[in-house]
Amino acid sequence: MKSLLPFLGVASTTLALSIPDTQQILGAFTDFSARETCPQAAKVAAPNDGLHDASHFLSDAVFRSRQAKRLSGAVQVPTSITDYMVDPYDPAFEPFVKFQEYLEETFPLVHSRAKVEHVNRLGLLFTLQGSDTAAKPLLFMAHQDVVPIDDPSDWTHPPFEGYFDGEWMWGRGASDCKNVLIGLLSVVEELFEQDWAPQRTVVLAFGYDEESHGFLGAGNLSSALEERYGKDSFEFVLDEGGMGVQSLGGDDEVVYALPGVGEKGSIDLVMEMAVPGGHSSIPPAHTGIGIMAEILYSLERQELFSPWLHESHPAHGMLECQARYSPDHVEPWLAEKLAAGDAAALGEALASSRGAAVRYLLQTSQAADLIHGGVKTNALPEKISATVNYRVALHQTPDELVDRALRIIGPIAESHNLTVQHDFPNLDLEGTRRQSLLDDDTDAPERTLTLSSLSEPLMPAPISPTDPLSSKTWARFAGVTRSVFESHPNPLASSSKKNPTVVVTGDIMTGNTDTRFYWPLSRNIYRWSPSRVGGTANIHTVDERIRLDVHLEGMMLYYDLIRSFDQWDE
Ligand SMILES: *[C@@H]1O[C@H](CO)[C@@H](O)[C@H](O)[C@H]1NC(C)=O
Ligand SMILES: *[C@@H]1O[C@H](CO)[C@@H](O)[C@H](O)[C@H]1NC(C)=O
C-alpha cells in the first residue's frame, strides 16, 4: 500500500457489550426491512466439494511450519523498489528475477497447471483456466515489490532475514504484501494438491512497482487483461488494502471485516515560476522565493477543506454498523447524528472525535511536499518550483481543486505581475477568471507561473456496491467472509475462546493501490488484506512484521472464496 491505513475503530475497551446476542443478531441479519441500517449478507458455508476444510491452515502444525518457511523465503529476497526504477530492464530489478525463481521452486503445481505469463518483463499473470467459460473469472492481485530500507541497523531482526520467532514473521514485505502474494499461491498450490479442477477461471496478477507508480506492473497487466477479457469481465477483483479486520468488545466480540470499496483521488499540483534574476544587493521587495512562499501560505489558509459525510460515503455505512452492533464502544451521539443526515455537521463531529485518520477519509488533504529555488546567496533566484499533493475526497474532483488553487493564486500572481499559464485542458475555466489569468497585455513575458500536474490526476474511485440485497457478488463475498471469521476464536485474543460475531461493511482508503488501473475490469473491486488489526505491524517502516496466525486466516478466506465462487450459479 502506498500509505498507512487509517484506523477507523475507536479505542477498544474491555466493557461488556450491551448488544444483542449472536442469535438475535443473526435474526436481525436476515430481517431485511427497507430502512434497516447495516444489512448483512447471509453466511455462505463452504461447498461440499470434497476438499479439506479451511481451518486446516490454522490448526495443522505441519502446514503452519511449512507456511512460515514459505513466507520467510519470500521475505529473504529483497525486491525493493525506488521511484527511479522506470525501466523493467534496469539492473536494480534483478532481485525480482530471483524472487520469481523462488516462487517457481516453492509452488511447482501452480507453475505446471496454471498458465504463467510475464507482462512487461516482470509482471506475473497466472491463469487457472476454468471449464465454465460463461462464468466471470475472479481476479486476485498482489505486488512483488517492497519499500526500501532506510537504516537496517534500526531493525530488531535484519529486514531481509525472514526471521520467525514462533509467532511473528519479521521483515520487509512480511505484511505489505508478500503475505498476500504467498498466501494466494499457497492456497492455489493446496487446491491443486487435492486435484482440484476449476470450473470458474481464477486469475492472479502480481505487479512489481506498486510502491512506486504502478505503471510498469499493474498498468501493463490491467491493459493485457482488458484486451483479453474486456470491460466489466471479472466477478470481483480482490487486492491488498482496506481496513483489515477490527474487533470491538471483549468476550462478546464483534469483529468488523472492512474491505476498501473506494479510494480517494489524487493530484500533484506543480507550480513553476520564472522571474528575472539579478544581484542580491539590489533585490525587489519580493524574490521568486518570497512569492512562492506567499502562494503556499495562502493555499494553506484560504478556502480550507471540510469533512463531508454523506450517506453515499462507504464510511457512513460502516459507522451505522458500529452504532448498531457496538453501541457501547462508539460516541453516544453517533446513531442520532447519522440519522439526522447533515453531511457537514456529521463529518465535522466525527473528524473532531476520531482524529486525523478519520478526518482525511472525509475531506480533501493538501500537503506542500516539494520546493526548490535559488542557487547562490549573491544571486536572485530565477526558477522556483513547488509541488502540492492533494488526496481528493469522494465529493470532490481534481479539477475542482485546481480551480480553487487558481482562485487563490490568481490575485497573488497578478499583484506580482506574473503571467499564469496552466495545462489543464479539461478544466472549465471559461469566463472572467480565465480571461484575467491569461490576460497577457499587462505582464512581462519573463515573469511567469506555470501550473501542471506531475502525472495524470486521479478521480476518486467508483464505489463498489455493498448492499447485499442488490449486489449478489457482495452478498456472496461477505457471506463467505462471515463464515470464515466466525468459524474460530480470534487467535490474537488469548482469553477469548468464543467464536465472534462478524459484521462485514465497506470503507474507503486515503491512499491508492494498484487497483487504480483496474476500474474498467469490474464493478466489484475490493481492496482488502484480510488481516486482523494488531496482527500486523509497522508497514513501510522498521520492524515490519505479521503474526503467522493472521497470515493463515487470510489464506482461509482466499481458499473459501475460490471454492464458494467456483460452482456458484448466480
Ligand atoms: C507499460 O510499461 C511501460 C514501461 O515499460 C510504460 O511506459 C507504460 O506507461 C506502461 N503502460 C501503462 C498502460 O501503464
Ligand atoms: C507591475 O507592473 C506595473 C505596470 O507595469 C508596475 O507599475 C508595477 O510596479 C509592477 N509590479 C511588480 C511587482 O513588478
Side-chain angles (χ1 to χ4, degrees), residues 415-417 442 447:
S415 72
H416 296 285
N417 288 351
T442 57
R447 300 178 63 81

Side-chain angles (χ1 to χ4, degrees), residues 28 60 65 173 195 264 366 374 403 410 504:
D60 184 297
S65 68
D195 277 326
K264 290 173 85 175
Q366 169 182 262
D403 202 11
V504 190

